[in-house]
mmCIF file with all atom_site columns, all heavy atoms in Angstrom:
data_model
loop_
_atom_site.group_PDB
_atom_site.id
_atom_site.type_symbol
_atom_site.label_atom_id
_atom_site.label_alt_id
_atom_site.label_comp_id
_atom_site.label_asym_id
_atom_site.label_entity_id
_atom_site.label_seq_id
_atom_site.pdbx_PDB_ins_code
_atom_site.Cartn_x
_atom_site.Cartn_y
_atom_site.Cartn_z
_atom_site.occupancy
_atom_site.B_iso_or_equiv
_atom_site.pdbx_formal_charge
_atom_site.auth_seq_id
_atom_site.auth_comp_id
_atom_site.auth_asym_id
_atom_site.auth_atom_id
_atom_site.pdbx_PDB_model_num
ATOM 1   N N   . GLN A 1 97  ? 115.499 145.028 81.909  1.00 96.00 ? 161 GLN A N   1
ATOM 2   C CA  . GLN A 1 97  ? 115.445 144.688 83.315  1.00 96.00 ? 161 GLN A CA  1
ATOM 3   C C   . GLN A 1 97  ? 115.638 145.968 84.237  1.00 96.00 ? 161 GLN A C   1
ATOM 4   O O   . GLN A 1 97  ? 115.048 145.993 85.324  1.00 96.00 ? 161 GLN A O   1
ATOM 5   C CB  . GLN A 1 97  ? 116.518 143.599 83.672  1.00 96.00 ? 161 GLN A CB  1
ATOM 6   C CG  . GLN A 1 97  ? 116.308 142.291 83.016  1.00 96.00 ? 161 GLN A CG  1
ATOM 7   C CD  . GLN A 1 97  ? 114.954 141.680 83.320  1.00 96.00 ? 161 GLN A CD  1
ATOM 8   O OE1 . GLN A 1 97  ? 114.536 141.751 84.416  1.00 96.00 ? 161 GLN A OE1 1
ATOM 9   N NE2 . GLN A 1 97  ? 114.485 140.877 82.428  1.00 96.00 ? 161 GLN A NE2 1
ATOM 10  N N   . ARG A 1 98  ? 116.321 146.909 83.712  1.00 95.00 ? 162 ARG A N   1
ATOM 11  C CA  . ARG A 1 98  ? 116.531 148.115 84.525  1.00 95.00 ? 162 ARG A CA  1
ATOM 12  C C   . ARG A 1 98  ? 115.288 149.021 84.607  1.00 95.00 ? 162 ARG A C   1
ATOM 13  O O   . ARG A 1 98  ? 115.306 149.975 85.380  1.00 95.00 ? 162 ARG A O   1
ATOM 14  C CB  . ARG A 1 98  ? 117.763 148.897 84.055  1.00 95.00 ? 162 ARG A CB  1
ATOM 15  C CG  . ARG A 1 98  ? 119.104 148.133 84.206  1.00 95.00 ? 162 ARG A CG  1
ATOM 16  C CD  . ARG A 1 98  ? 120.298 149.060 84.227  1.00 95.00 ? 162 ARG A CD  1
ATOM 17  N NE  . ARG A 1 98  ? 120.409 149.647 82.825  1.00 95.00 ? 162 ARG A NE  1
ATOM 18  C CZ  . ARG A 1 98  ? 121.164 149.153 81.878  1.00 95.00 ? 162 ARG A CZ  1
ATOM 19  N NH1 . ARG A 1 98  ? 121.715 147.958 82.027  1.00 95.00 ? 162 ARG A NH1 1
ATOM 20  N NH2 . ARG A 1 98  ? 121.298 149.714 80.731  1.00 95.00 ? 162 ARG A NH2 1
ATOM 21  N N   . GLU A 1 99  ? 114.305 148.605 83.856  1.00 95.00 ? 163 GLU A N   1
ATOM 22  C CA  . GLU A 1 99  ? 113.037 149.347 83.927  1.00 95.00 ? 163 GLU A CA  1
ATOM 23  C C   . GLU A 1 99  ? 112.067 148.857 85.027  1.00 95.00 ? 163 GLU A C   1
ATOM 24  O O   . GLU A 1 99  ? 110.995 149.298 85.189  1.00 95.00 ? 163 GLU A O   1
ATOM 25  C CB  . GLU A 1 99  ? 112.335 149.297 82.600  1.00 95.00 ? 163 GLU A CB  1
ATOM 26  C CG  . GLU A 1 99  ? 112.986 150.043 81.445  1.00 95.00 ? 163 GLU A CG  1
ATOM 27  C CD  . GLU A 1 99  ? 112.403 149.789 80.140  1.00 95.00 ? 163 GLU A CD  1
ATOM 28  O OE1 . GLU A 1 99  ? 111.487 148.910 79.955  1.00 95.00 ? 163 GLU A OE1 1
ATOM 29  O OE2 . GLU A 1 99  ? 112.837 150.387 79.166  1.00 95.00 ? 163 GLU A OE2 1
ATOM 30  N N   . LYS A 1 100 ? 112.583 147.846 85.768  1.00 96.00 ? 164 LYS A N   1
ATOM 31  C CA  . LYS A 1 100 ? 111.884 147.196 86.807  1.00 96.00 ? 164 LYS A CA  1
ATOM 32  C C   . LYS A 1 100 ? 111.362 148.254 87.911  1.00 96.00 ? 164 LYS A C   1
ATOM 33  O O   . LYS A 1 100 ? 112.143 149.091 88.255  1.00 96.00 ? 164 LYS A O   1
ATOM 34  C CB  . LYS A 1 100 ? 112.482 146.019 87.452  1.00 96.00 ? 164 LYS A CB  1
ATOM 35  C CG  . LYS A 1 100 ? 112.491 144.778 86.583  1.00 96.00 ? 164 LYS A CG  1
ATOM 36  C CD  . LYS A 1 100 ? 113.267 143.688 87.317  1.00 96.00 ? 164 LYS A CD  1
ATOM 37  C CE  . LYS A 1 100 ? 112.942 142.270 86.943  1.00 96.00 ? 164 LYS A CE  1
ATOM 38  N NZ  . LYS A 1 100 ? 112.273 142.006 85.668  1.00 96.00 ? 164 LYS A NZ  1
ATOM 39  N N   . VAL A 1 101 ? 110.155 148.048 88.389  1.00 96.00 ? 165 VAL A N   1
ATOM 40  C CA  . VAL A 1 101 ? 109.699 148.912 89.494  1.00 96.00 ? 165 VAL A CA  1
ATOM 41  C C   . VAL A 1 101 ? 109.190 147.944 90.555  1.00 96.00 ? 165 VAL A C   1
ATOM 42  O O   . VAL A 1 101 ? 108.370 147.051 90.306  1.00 96.00 ? 165 VAL A O   1
ATOM 43  C CB  . VAL A 1 101 ? 108.479 149.806 88.978  1.00 96.00 ? 165 VAL A CB  1
ATOM 44  C CG1 . VAL A 1 101 ? 108.196 150.799 90.043  1.00 96.00 ? 165 VAL A CG1 1
ATOM 45  C CG2 . VAL A 1 101 ? 108.799 150.438 87.684  1.00 96.00 ? 165 VAL A CG2 1
ATOM 46  N N   . ALA A 1 102 ? 109.479 148.267 91.822  1.00 96.00 ? 166 ALA A N   1
ATOM 47  C CA  . ALA A 1 102 ? 109.088 147.457 92.946  1.00 96.00 ? 166 ALA A CA  1
ATOM 48  C C   . ALA A 1 102 ? 108.324 148.219 93.979  1.00 96.00 ? 166 ALA A C   1
ATOM 49  O O   . ALA A 1 102 ? 108.536 149.383 94.270  1.00 96.00 ? 166 ALA A O   1
ATOM 50  C CB  . ALA A 1 102 ? 110.300 146.822 93.557  1.00 96.00 ? 166 ALA A CB  1
ATOM 51  N N   . LEU A 1 103 ? 107.329 147.555 94.529  1.00 96.00 ? 167 LEU A N   1
ATOM 52  C CA  . LEU A 1 103 ? 106.587 148.093 95.734  1.00 96.00 ? 167 LEU A CA  1
ATOM 53  C C   . LEU A 1 103 ? 106.833 147.110 96.817  1.00 96.00 ? 167 LEU A C   1
ATOM 54  O O   . LEU A 1 103 ? 106.477 145.871 96.677  1.00 96.00 ? 167 LEU A O   1
ATOM 55  C CB  . LEU A 1 103 ? 105.118 148.351 95.458  1.00 96.00 ? 167 LEU A CB  1
ATOM 56  C CG  . LEU A 1 103 ? 104.301 148.746 96.702  1.00 96.00 ? 167 LEU A CG  1
ATOM 57  C CD1 . LEU A 1 103 ? 104.792 150.161 97.155  1.00 96.00 ? 167 LEU A CD1 1
ATOM 58  C CD2 . LEU A 1 103 ? 102.888 148.753 96.462  1.00 96.00 ? 167 LEU A CD2 1
ATOM 59  N N   . ILE A 1 104 ? 107.319 147.479 97.971  1.00 96.00 ? 168 ILE A N   1
ATOM 60  C CA  . ILE A 1 104 ? 107.505 146.652 99.162  1.00 96.00 ? 168 ILE A CA  1
ATOM 61  C C   . ILE A 1 104 ? 106.355 146.845 100.165 1.00 96.00 ? 168 ILE A C   1
ATOM 62  O O   . ILE A 1 104 ? 106.075 147.998 100.500 1.00 96.00 ? 168 ILE A O   1
ATOM 63  C CB  . ILE A 1 104 ? 108.839 146.765 99.703  1.00 96.00 ? 168 ILE A CB  1
ATOM 64  C CG1 . ILE A 1 104 ? 109.954 146.505 98.702  1.00 96.00 ? 168 ILE A CG1 1
ATOM 65  C CG2 . ILE A 1 104 ? 109.075 145.921 100.925 1.00 96.00 ? 168 ILE A CG2 1
ATOM 66  C CD1 . ILE A 1 104 ? 111.266 147.060 99.003  1.00 96.00 ? 168 ILE A CD1 1
ATOM 67  N N   . LEU A 1 105 ? 105.685 145.811 100.549 1.00 97.00 ? 169 LEU A N   1
ATOM 68  C CA  . LEU A 1 105 ? 104.530 145.921 101.476 1.00 97.00 ? 169 LEU A CA  1
ATOM 69  C C   . LEU A 1 105 ? 104.944 145.326 102.835 1.00 97.00 ? 169 LEU A C   1
ATOM 70  O O   . LEU A 1 105 ? 105.701 144.279 102.880 1.00 97.00 ? 169 LEU A O   1
ATOM 71  C CB  . LEU A 1 105 ? 103.319 145.138 100.827 1.00 97.00 ? 169 LEU A CB  1
ATOM 72  C CG  . LEU A 1 105 ? 102.767 145.639 99.586  1.00 97.00 ? 169 LEU A CG  1
ATOM 73  C CD1 . LEU A 1 105 ? 101.775 144.586 99.025  1.00 97.00 ? 169 LEU A CD1 1
ATOM 74  C CD2 . LEU A 1 105 ? 102.071 147.027 99.814  1.00 97.00 ? 169 LEU A CD2 1
ATOM 75  N N   . ASP A 1 106 ? 104.526 145.986 103.817 1.00 95.00 ? 170 ASP A N   1
ATOM 76  C CA  . ASP A 1 106 ? 104.686 145.408 105.211 1.00 95.00 ? 170 ASP A CA  1
ATOM 77  C C   . ASP A 1 106 ? 103.420 145.846 106.062 1.00 95.00 ? 170 ASP A C   1
ATOM 78  O O   . ASP A 1 106 ? 102.552 146.645 105.532 1.00 95.00 ? 170 ASP A O   1
ATOM 79  C CB  . ASP A 1 106 ? 105.962 145.943 105.818 1.00 95.00 ? 170 ASP A CB  1
ATOM 80  C CG  . ASP A 1 106 ? 106.387 145.043 107.120 1.00 95.00 ? 170 ASP A CG  1
ATOM 81  O OD1 . ASP A 1 106 ? 105.708 144.125 107.383 1.00 95.00 ? 170 ASP A OD1 1
ATOM 82  O OD2 . ASP A 1 106 ? 107.404 145.480 107.653 1.00 95.00 ? 170 ASP A OD2 1
ATOM 83  N N   . VAL A 1 107 ? 103.320 145.325 107.218 1.00 94.00 ? 171 VAL A N   1
ATOM 84  C CA  . VAL A 1 107 ? 102.202 145.707 108.077 1.00 94.00 ? 171 VAL A CA  1
ATOM 85  C C   . VAL A 1 107 ? 102.234 147.170 108.452 1.00 94.00 ? 171 VAL A C   1
ATOM 86  O O   . VAL A 1 107 ? 101.217 147.865 108.512 1.00 94.00 ? 171 VAL A O   1
ATOM 87  C CB  . VAL A 1 107 ? 102.010 144.834 109.365 1.00 94.00 ? 171 VAL A CB  1
ATOM 88  C CG1 . VAL A 1 107 ? 101.442 143.534 109.002 1.00 94.00 ? 171 VAL A CG1 1
ATOM 89  C CG2 . VAL A 1 107 ? 103.290 144.681 110.058 1.00 94.00 ? 171 VAL A CG2 1
ATOM 90  N N   . ASP A 1 108 ? 103.428 147.691 108.775 1.00 92.00 ? 172 ASP A N   1
ATOM 91  C CA  . ASP A 1 108 ? 103.607 149.188 108.980 1.00 92.00 ? 172 ASP A CA  1
ATOM 92  C C   . ASP A 1 108 ? 104.804 149.661 108.187 1.00 92.00 ? 172 ASP A C   1
ATOM 93  O O   . ASP A 1 108 ? 105.685 148.940 107.838 1.00 92.00 ? 172 ASP A O   1
ATOM 94  C CB  . ASP A 1 108 ? 103.530 149.531 110.499 1.00 92.00 ? 172 ASP A CB  1
ATOM 95  C CG  . ASP A 1 108 ? 104.821 149.320 111.140 1.00 92.00 ? 172 ASP A CG  1
ATOM 96  O OD1 . ASP A 1 108 ? 105.853 149.878 110.721 1.00 92.00 ? 172 ASP A OD1 1
ATOM 97  O OD2 . ASP A 1 108 ? 104.776 148.686 112.225 1.00 92.00 ? 172 ASP A OD2 1
ATOM 98  N N   . PRO A 1 109 ? 104.784 150.916 107.949 1.00 88.00 ? 173 PRO A N   1
ATOM 99  C CA  . PRO A 1 109 ? 105.805 151.557 106.972 1.00 88.00 ? 173 PRO A CA  1
ATOM 100 C C   . PRO A 1 109 ? 107.287 151.546 107.576 1.00 88.00 ? 173 PRO A C   1
ATOM 101 O O   . PRO A 1 109 ? 108.208 151.744 106.725 1.00 88.00 ? 173 PRO A O   1
ATOM 102 C CB  . PRO A 1 109 ? 105.350 152.840 106.655 1.00 88.00 ? 173 PRO A CB  1
ATOM 103 C CG  . PRO A 1 109 ? 104.512 153.279 107.773 1.00 88.00 ? 173 PRO A CG  1
ATOM 104 C CD  . PRO A 1 109 ? 103.869 152.038 108.338 1.00 88.00 ? 173 PRO A CD  1
ATOM 105 N N   . TYR A 1 110 ? 107.534 151.353 108.792 1.00 89.00 ? 174 TYR A N   1
ATOM 106 C CA  . TYR A 1 110 ? 108.849 151.608 109.287 1.00 89.00 ? 174 TYR A CA  1
ATOM 107 C C   . TYR A 1 110 ? 109.463 150.355 109.984 1.00 89.00 ? 174 TYR A C   1
ATOM 108 O O   . TYR A 1 110 ? 110.599 150.345 110.403 1.00 89.00 ? 174 TYR A O   1
ATOM 109 C CB  . TYR A 1 110 ? 108.945 152.734 110.228 1.00 89.00 ? 174 TYR A CB  1
ATOM 110 C CG  . TYR A 1 110 ? 108.354 154.034 109.640 1.00 89.00 ? 174 TYR A CG  1
ATOM 111 C CD1 . TYR A 1 110 ? 107.156 154.509 110.060 1.00 89.00 ? 174 TYR A CD1 1
ATOM 112 C CD2 . TYR A 1 110 ? 109.042 154.693 108.595 1.00 89.00 ? 174 TYR A CD2 1
ATOM 113 C CE1 . TYR A 1 110 ? 106.647 155.763 109.413 1.00 89.00 ? 174 TYR A CE1 1
ATOM 114 C CE2 . TYR A 1 110 ? 108.564 155.737 107.918 1.00 89.00 ? 174 TYR A CE2 1
ATOM 115 C CZ  . TYR A 1 110 ? 107.393 156.336 108.429 1.00 89.00 ? 174 TYR A CZ  1
ATOM 116 O OH  . TYR A 1 110 ? 106.831 157.445 107.773 1.00 89.00 ? 174 TYR A OH  1
#
Side-chain angles (χ1 to χ4, degrees):
Chain A
Q161 296 296 328
R162 291 201 297 271
E163 292 170 356
K164 280 179 157 26
V165 189
L167 176 67
I168 300 162
L169 297 167
D170 197 1
V171 284
D172 80 52
Y174 305 109

